[in-house]
Structure formats: structure tokens, C-alpha cells
Amino acid sequence: MEQKAKQLGQKLAEFLEIPLETAIDWPNLSLSANRHLLLQNHRGVIEYAQDLIRINTKLGEIKITGQKLTIIFAGKDELEIGGVICQIEYIDWR
Amino acid sequence: MSLRSLIYYLTGYVELLIRGPQLEKFINLASNAGLSLWDIRRVGAEVMQIKMQAGSFLQTRNLVKRSKTNVKVLKKVGFVFMLRRIWKRKFFLIGALLCLGLLVYLSNFVWVIQIEGFEGAARERLYRELNHAGLRRGIKREKLLNEKRLIEQEVLIHTKQAVWLGITIRGVVAEVRVIERKSPPAASAGNDLIALREGVITKLVVVRGTPVVKEGDSVARGDLLISGLEWHTDKATGALVQENIPAQGVVVARVWYDWEILEPKVFWKIKALKVAATDYAIRYRGKLWHLFGIGKKPDQRYHLSRWRKVISLGRNPSLNVEVIKDVWSEATYQRYQRPLVEVKRAAWQEFLAKSRLLKHAHGERSSSWSDEGGFLKLNVSIEGLQDIAMKTTK
């Protein structure tokens, strides 16, 4: 039932041309070159090291690999990551 | 510095060193609890350095327990911590406040005088004139603002090379801008026509001589208008010959006459009270003979009225006897607020009396009134045409 409601919500948002990340809390990634990543609607940090950051989202896991990675800001819904980002992987995404 | 950093600095933040196997859990718990973390750095395998707002630090106690981590405060940064540190150093605080107060106090004075426009000796001379007129280092800005116009006028009068002078006050700097008078070619005594007063030339008729100015030119008093030097070619030799002839011509210029008349709004009238003393005397052949007196003359605030009667002893006026009665009364001063109509009438009368002395002061007249505290100022400007050509004196 809940799944159906979400699908309906998604279809409605697409029909009304509302950005999906605002209508349904899908993760939103903004990348500035390979130095700065802003991730909205995250669900926590799974792993954090200087060369690897794994972040949980509603749709799956995001794996960021790079060098000298730092979390510039960690808020409830927002996560800013700095450093040299080499790779972004989506793991087990629905 | 971003706005966020500025806010964090003002509200104060702490740098924490967190140790433990579940550092990620700490981050998640903190962000879920609504705490803002920034500059999160992995320092070692199980060590992390973070920054958080000082106000949120106490909330981490529960999070530390749940994430089984260990927290150590590395640094306290921000304005609030700085204030706390300063508050402990009372003398430093007093010194800083005194220093600030001194700076604020000193900023009420003019400390630098910059002159723009004159160089060398002229600048030194102008500097001395400014000093003499009242613009000197250490003068109060407020006083200078009040006296600025007067100083400008006085210095301009005493500095003949200046055609305009303006003082601008910027902080503790008084900028003096001066425009130098461009001297006309030197007049050859007796043969040139020079300007009687300043004005704008509207008509120029040259009978003899070489015109130095043209219609529309603005001239100052003493400027050369028509030169007596004339060049012509000698028919016999073909060479250029200079001749000094008496210049003749008419130079009509638009001239301005300005008057500033100050009329007081308030008078202090003396009012005689009771009679304090009376003196009787006679004057004969220029000598005053004191007869007798009744009462004592008041030392201050008195009113003197004199009654005189001349008794003629024949046709010869030198033999006349003058009887004098002086009455000394105690007096008081009464403030008399003059009606505006009366003040204006008096100002106009004074202007008419002054302007009558100048025969050329006829033309378009414009006037304005300005309030100068206890005085009412009448500014009258008359614009007219006048032949300003004048022969140079030998």
C-alpha cells in the first residue's frame, strides 16, 4: 500500500514537473568539478576514511573514493564532502 | 570567510578530538540530533577531529555514550571565548577601552592638512595663512565645520594667487583645494587697458592696441584686456617692429555685486528706573564748571540723560553760557525681540544705503534671506553691464 502511494506520488510529481528531490526525498547530488560534493537527503554515514566515504540514502548506498576526503559539513539532511573525488559509485540502488 | 563561518565564530565553536571504533555512528547520531558538525577530518584509524558549535557541546554527552567514543576538547574558538578571556584580564580591557575612547576622542580633531593646487613657497605661504585664519592641526572638527566658510573667505582675501579655495573635511584630514590664478601678460605701464573688476566680457571694441581677451572670457581685477604693444611690418626693411602705443577701447562686461547684510533679531534696550543722582554744571568758553550734585552715581547699569540750556549773552556765540543738568538713573536691560517685518525693513534700508554708493550697481537684482541664529542675513546680488576697461597707472 505504502509502495503504491509512493509510486503515485512520484508520477504526480513527474506530471506536475516538480523536482523529484523536493517532492519525494530522493538523494540530490551536486558536484563541483572533482573537489566538492553536496549531498542532500542522506540517511547517514556508513564509513568514513580519508580515501573512502560510504553514505546511505533512501535508494541505496553511495560510495565515494578519492584522496584526502573530508566532511566539510554534516547536517541532518545535508552532507558536504571536500577533497579530490575520483569515483562515485551507486551500490544496490533500487 | 563565509557567512556560516562568521556566525560560528561569533557564537563560538569547539574543536573536538573523538576516539573510538564507531566514529561514523557518532556523526550520524549528531546529525540526527540536529547538531551541525563541520571540518570533519580523519586523523588516524580510530581518531577523528571535528568542529561543532559551543552551545551544542553538552548534547554530545549522550551521543558519546551511545557511540562508545571518547571526546576531548582541543580548542575553544570564537568571539564569546575571546570575550571571556578578555574579561579575566581587567587591566587589558580597561586599557583597550581607554585606547578606543582616546581614538574616538582624537577623531574629533583635524590632524592632517592637505593642500592641493599650490607648490613650493606658495604652498608654505598658504599653509601659514590657513594657520593664521584658524585652520591648524588639532582644531576641533565641529569648530572647523562652523568656521569653514569664514576661513575660506579670509584665506582667499589674503592669498592673491588663489582664485578659488575650498576646504573639505574627511575624517581627521582637512583637504584644501586651491585654484591658482593664471596671470595675464604683464601690462606695460601707462599704455595698457586692464580690468577694473571681475566679470564676463560681453562686448569688446578695440580702437587702438592688441586685444588679449575675447567676448565670453571671464576676467579678474587687474587682468590685461587690451595691450598697448602693437606689431607691424616696416615697409622699408620688411622687419617686424614692436611699438608701444596707448591702448584705447571699450570692454563691456557682465559684472556682479554681492551684499551680505546681517541684521540682529534681538535688541537689548536700556530702561531707566529710579533717579539715583543729579549733577548741575555750566559751560562757559569751553570750560565745564561743576556746580553741585545730589545723590550718588550708580557704579554699573546706569542711564544718563543730559538736559542743556544755552543762555546767550550777546551776538558773540563764544560768550554763550550753557547750563547742564545730568540725571543718573539706575537702569535695567530689557530683551526686545524685533518683529520679522522690522528686521527685514532695516536690512533693506541698510542695503539701499550701501548700494547707492555704487553707481554701476543697477541691473537684475536677486535676493534671498537666510537664518543665521540670532541674525537674519540678506543676500543681494545685482547683475549688470559695465565698462571695466581701466588704464594702468604710470
Side-chain angles (χ1 to χ4, degrees), chain B residues 116-118 156 161-166 177-181:
Chain B
E116 192 186 315
F118 272 8
L156 198 60
Q161 301 122 296
V163 75
W164 179 85
L165 186 136
R177 279 196 66 212
V178 60
I179 293 173
E180 211 172 338
R181 187 186 294 279

Side-chain angles (χ1 to χ4, degrees), chain B residues 134-146:
Chain B
L135 175 56
R136 58 179 73 89
R137 253 188 242 167
I139 187 176
K140 261 199 144 187
R141 287 181 65 216
E142 201 183 325
K143 193 182 172 197
L144 181 60
L145 277 169
N146 289 334

Side-chain angles (χ1 to χ4, degrees), chain B residues 35 59 64-65 137 161 166 244 272 301 314:
Chain B
L35 308 182
Q59 291 178 44
V64 167
K65 273 185 191 171
R137 253 188 242 167
Q161 301 122 296
N244 199 355
R301 289 201 176 184

Side-chain angles (χ1 to χ4, degrees), chain A residues 44-45 48 50 71-72 74 80, chain B residues 24 28 37-40 42:
Chain A
V45 181
Y48 171 41
Q50 278 196 343
I71 300 175
I72 298 169
E80 269 183 70
Chain B
E24 291 84 2
N28 294 335
L37 309 178
W38 69 96
D39 275 359
I40 303 169
R42 196 84 188 215

Side-chain angles (χ1 to χ4, degrees), chain A residues 44-48, chain B residues 21-32 37 48 63 65-69:
Chain A
V45 181
I46 302 166
E47 192 184 345
Y48 171 41
Chain B
Q22 293 176 312
L23 296 173
E24 291 84 2
K25 194 175 178 182
F26 179 86
I27 296 171
N28 294 335
L29 286 169
S31 51
N32 281 334
L37 309 178
M48 177 173 76
L63 311 179
K65 273 185 191 171
R66 284 169 66 187
S67 61
K68 291 173 186 166
T69 48

Side-chain angles (χ1 to χ4, degrees), chain B residues 121-279:
Chain B
R123 174 176 283 206
E124 286 300 314
R125 221 167 14 249
L126 178 64
Y127 193 78
R128 277 200 299 276
E129 280 298 337
L130 286 166
N131 256 287
H132 189 252
L135 175 56
R136 58 179 73 89
R137 253 188 242 167
I139 187 176
K140 261 199 144 187
R141 287 181 65 216
E142 201 183 325
K143 193 182 172 197
L144 181 60
L145 277 169
N146 289 334
E147 294 177 359
K148 196 170 83 105
R149 230 180 125 199
L150 284 173
I151 292 171
E152 283 172 357
Q153 284 175 354
E154 197 181 324
V155 175
L156 198 60
I157 289 166
H158 289 103
T159 315
K160 300 290 177 207
Q161 301 122 296
V163 75
W164 179 85
L165 186 136
I167 301 169
T168 319
I169 304 160
R170 283 188 191 169
V172 295
V173 181
E175 286 179 1
V176 182
R177 279 196 66 212
V178 60
I179 293 173
E180 211 172 338
R181 187 186 294 279
K182 285 177 186 162
S183 304
S188 54
N191 285 334
D192 296 333
L193 287 181
I194 59 166
L196 180 68
R197 56 174 294 128
E198 62 265 31
V200 178
I201 295 168
T202 53
K203 194 175 160 189
L204 180 71
V205 180
V206 182
V207 181
R208 291 186 79 188
T210 314
V212 179
V213 289
K214 58 184 186 302
E215 283 175 16
D217 278 3
S218 174
V219 289
R221 183 181 159 84
D223 284 0
L224 181 63
L225 302 174
I226 302 170
S227 169
L229 292 175
E230 246 189 12
W231 294 86
H232 62 87
T233 316
D234 188 12
K235 282 178 185 170
T237 59
L240 270 174
V241 180
Q242 190 192 53
E243 199 180 352
N244 199 355
I245 52 158
Q248 275 182 4
V250 177
V251 183
V252 179
R254 188 163 285 278
V255 292
W256 291 270
Y257 291 91
D258 295 314
W259 284 272
E260 279 187 358
I261 289 147
L262 276 173
E263 201 61 35
K265 288 190 215 166
V266 175
F267 270 161
W268 287 91
K269 278 190 170 177
I270 192 162
K271 191 188 174 189
L273 300 171
K274 67 171 186 178
V275 175
T278 315
D279 258 9

